[in-house]
Amino acid sequence: MNSRLLIVFLALAIGAKAQNISKDAPAPVYPLPTAEQVLWHEMETNAFVHFTTNTFTGQEWGYGDEKESIFNPTSPDAGQWAKILKETGFKTLILTTKHHDGFCLWPSKYTEHSIKNSPYKNGKGDLVKEAADAAGKYGLKFGVYLSPWDRNHPEYGRPAYLEYYRNQLKELFTNYGPVFEMWFDGANGGDGYYGGAREVRKINSAKYYDWPKTLDVVSKIQPNVIFFSDAGPGVRWVGNERGIAGETNWNTISTDTLHAGKPGITNLLNTGSIDGDKWVPAEVDVSIRPGWFYHAKEDDKVKTPEELFEIYLTSVGRGSTLLLNIPPDQRGLFHEKDIASLRGYKNLLDTEFALNLAKKSKVSADSYRANSKLYAPANITDGNKETYWATDDNRKSGSFEIDLGKETRVKYVSIQEYIKLGQRVKSFSVDIWKDGQWKKLAEATTIGYKRILRADPVNTSKIRVNILDSKACPLISNVEVY
Ligand code: FUL
């Protein structure tokens, strides 16, 4: 290199440094999701299946004294559950292997209170196996719910029950193939049958289960399981059972501020916290019916396709995943009304999000990182989730425009952050080009994995997204317009 070239090169390098321009990938904004959590975000909609003696007694929380003989589904078919779930877009089937009443859907060798003493298949049935196999057959992941609270077990509340609970975890995680998510319910302790004692047993849920040790039992067998509980560590409860994540929804939260069953934390669970020290995203669990279990008297109260679609927008559309419960009836099948609603909901998803107007459209931005193609605005609509638009490190705001090519009717804008490097955006707005100028369509706070904004349909030829504030340079991986 001759000396003049060297001087030009040095000047450029120094200039670049002064402006904080770097071709390097942006530094992560901690905390970050694990690979399993990223996968969990990408799944978007999962299903819960609540099934136990309650289905036959009409209760929601069995007392624990229900006779095993009462569990007598006439024609159960986990294949039907999995087939419908697959058809309507769900990715995981999470089964209540044991609810608070203590009845086990598999022939556990540690209790008599299970399917092995029921009339189902003359005691030879195993619905955990049937559900796990059906999920596998239809390409769904499998998850288990094993209620920590057990209103049947004589030793509940004492150390011996913990051993029982851990033994059951070992059975479930050893014998039924890979489990994607494990659900630890927050409802804990109170009155129950408890082997005939019929009394109230209160426990300190933060201490009694010795969660680190209990989770370790599972992790030793299947290290990649995502743990759900109020406090995570994999995913947290969203703080309500109505299907609504916070409009502001941080995937981050400090786990020392919450523990399973801690009262008064529902608001924090709903929004997360901007400065949380762990990545523990909210999961939105809600039932298609008023109750979690099937009751014939609720056949007319099944959520409509429109209600389910709204829930999709307030869960997946707010950066969470949806966990929708569909309870089998006394036959052991999803009821016709529930199936009709699920199909209607899927149809709504397919029609409302039929044609992505932003796909392959021209995108320009007011700036992009180091003017490098690696971070160019075209990455937003290239359909590749690993590429993103980024600004330089010193810019925590910025805008990009999507040219739709012609005046088109627009109702939804869906935006995604590249969360593998952390959740960043604190606020943003969307404008449309109307009558020769920009007009505001919507404004919101967090984005996270996905944020879907809905507006009254408008005709426009251009959309502008303005990132107004961000923890660090924003990274936007995908935008879709419908
Ligand atoms: C709650 C339980 O008490 C309900 O019965 C249901 O299982 C729901 C998913 O979680 O805490």
Side-chain angles (χ1 to χ4, degrees):
M1 188 182 288
N2 69 34
S3 58
R4 195 176 294 163
L5 257 182
L6 181 66
I7 289 165
V8 171
F9 175 78
L10 282 177
L12 278 176
I14 291 164
K17 193 149 190 277
Q19 287 172 48
N20 210 357
I21 291 171
S22 165
K23 280 198 177 185
D24 296 338
V29 170
Y30 292 102
L32 302 182
T34 63
E36 286 75 28
Q37 286 171 320
V38 171
L39 192 60
W40 175 89
H41 280 282
E42 289 174 355
M43 290 163 68
E44 299 194 359
T45 54
N46 299 319
F48 233 162
V49 175
H50 273 62
F51 198 29
T52 185
T53 54
N54 293 341
T55 314
F56 302 88
T57 60
Q59 302 184 83
E60 274 293 306
W61 283 7
Y63 188 69
D65 61 351
E66 297 75 24
K67 290 207 166 64
E68 293 80 36
S69 57
I70 210 166
F71 186 82
N72 192 12
T74 49
S75 49
D77 182 5
Q80 183 237 26
W81 314 343
K83 183 168 180 281
I84 299 289
L85 294 177
K86 178 75 183 178
E87 177 194 322
T88 50
F90 293 87
K91 302 284 165 49
T92 308
L93 187 166
I94 303 182
L95 178 68
T96 53
T97 62
K98 177 186 86 166
H99 201 250
H100 311 327
D101 55 277
F103 181 80
C104 302
L105 291 184
W106 81 105
S108 171
K109 69 176 181 202
Y110 300 102
T111 180
E112 292 305 305
H113 195 48
S114 87
I115 200 164
K116 74 183 172 202
N117 288 317
S118 80
Y120 177 56
K121 291 191 175 169
N122 291 320
K124 298 275 175 286
D126 183 343
L127 274 167
V128 177
K129 180 161 179 13
E130 289 176 35
D133 289 353
K137 179 173 167 202
Y138 287 93
L140 304 174
K141 292 190 186 295
F142 184 58
V144 297
Y145 168 120
L146 185 73
S147 172
W149 185 22
D150 189 320
R151 302 173 92 191
N152 172 266
H153 201 275
E155 295 300 324
Y156 181 76
R158 303 180 188 132
Y161 171 74
L162 268 197
E163 203 188 320
Y164 170 75
Y165 189 70
R166 289 176 185 159
N167 279 335
Q168 293 205 316
L169 286 172
K170 281 185 206 152
E171 277 186 322
L172 288 171
F173 283 85
T174 309
N175 300 334
Y176 297 95
V179 174
F180 181 68
E181 183 174 329
M182 166 81 212
W183 233 79
F184 294 103
D185 201 297
N188 272 301
D191 64 334
Y193 174 66
Y194 305 127
R198 298 186 184 274
E199 61 188 13
V200 176
R201 291 195 185 165
K202 293 218 167 92
I203 52 113
N204 176 341
S205 60
K207 296 214 172 102
Y208 175 56
Y209 299 103
D210 189 354
W211 285 118
K213 212 166 153 195
T214 301
L215 300 190
D216 205 41
V217 169
V218 176
S219 301
K220 278 207 173 100
I221 309 170
Q222 297 200 30
N224 297 328
V225 178
I226 300 241
F227 294 115
F228 166 98
S229 86
D230 288 6
V235 292
R236 68 177 197 261
W237 186 41
V238 75
N240 65 69
E241 292 177 342
R242 289 174 290 117
I244 303 175
E247 284 213 46
T248 294
N249 183 11
W250 290 98
N251 294 306
T252 48
I253 199 158
S254 292
T255 38
D256 60 356
T257 58
L258 62 154
H259 62 75
K262 181 173 175 176
I265 51 162
T266 47
N267 198 38
L268 180 64
L269 290 169
N270 197 240
T271 61
S273 37
I274 186 169
D275 54 358
D277 62 8
K278 299 251 161 39
W279 188 281
V280 189
E283 179 168 79
V284 178
D285 63 313
V286 57
S287 185
I288 196 168
R289 289 166 170 257
W292 290 96
F293 290 91
Y294 175 85
H295 310 298
K297 65 172 193 280
E298 292 179 350
D299 282 353
D300 290 331
K301 297 196 175 108
V302 176
K303 289 189 174 66
T304 62
E306 291 73 21
E307 285 171 318
L308 294 179
F309 182 74
E310 285 306 309
I311 286 176
Y312 174 85
L313 292 180
T314 55
S315 55
V316 177
R318 291 184 181 174
S320 285
T321 64
L322 169 61
L323 179 59
L324 181 70
N325 176 61
I326 306 104
D329 59 16
Q330 295 191 352
R331 294 170 299 175
L333 297 174
F334 285 175
H335 190 271
E336 289 69 9
K337 293 216 165 156
D338 303 45
I339 296 175
S341 252
L342 287 175
R343 288 193 170 134
Y345 150 81
K346 178 65 165 54
N347 195 30
L348 268 177
L349 284 176
D350 291 346
T351 44
E352 292 295 279
F353 303 127
L355 182 68
N356 173 13
L357 303 165
K359 198 173 178 188
K360 303 262 160 68
S361 65
K362 259 182 44 205
V363 192
S364 55
D366 57 357
S367 79
Y368 57 99
R369 193 173 180 82
N371 284 323
S372 161
K373 248 184 136 178
L374 283 175
Y375 308 107
N379 292 337
I380 291 172
T381 54
D382 66 355
N384 179 350
K385 64 184 181 184
E386 294 307 325
T387 62
Y388 49 85
W389 164 72
T391 61
D392 287 319
D393 285 338
N394 57 352
R395 282 179 172 254
K396 294 183 181 170
S397 60
S399 300
F400 56 86
E401 282 176 39
I402 300 177
D403 189 344
L404 302 176
K406 61 175 191 305
E407 189 85 354
T408 321
R409 183 176 174 272
V410 166
K411 192 171 173 191
Y412 302 94
V413 179
S414 164
I415 307 181
Q416 296 186 260
E417 280 189 76
Y418 185 73
I419 57 167
K420 286 182 182 170
L421 290 176
Q423 185 177 0
R424 297 159 181 250
V425 174
K426 296 189 208 174
S427 64
F428 70 103
S429 65
V430 177
D431 300 330
I432 51 156
W433 186 251
K434 193 90 198 141
D435 306 326
Q437 56 178 318
W438 289 111
K439 291 204 173 135
K440 191 188 281 182
L441 185 74
E443 189 165 344
T445 52
T446 49
I447 297 177
Y449 174 70
K450 184 177 270 187
R451 186 70 195 255
I452 305 174
L453 298 181
R454 176 178 49 190
D456 291 335
V458 279
N459 288 325
T460 185
S461 58
K462 279 193 290 186
I463 305 268
R464 184 170 70 180
V465 176
N466 312 298
I467 305 299
L468 304 172
D469 196 10
S470 179
K471 278 182 161 181
C473 61
L475 316 181
I476 304 297
S477 67
N478 189 41
V479 173
E480 293 167 21
V481 177
Y482 297 95

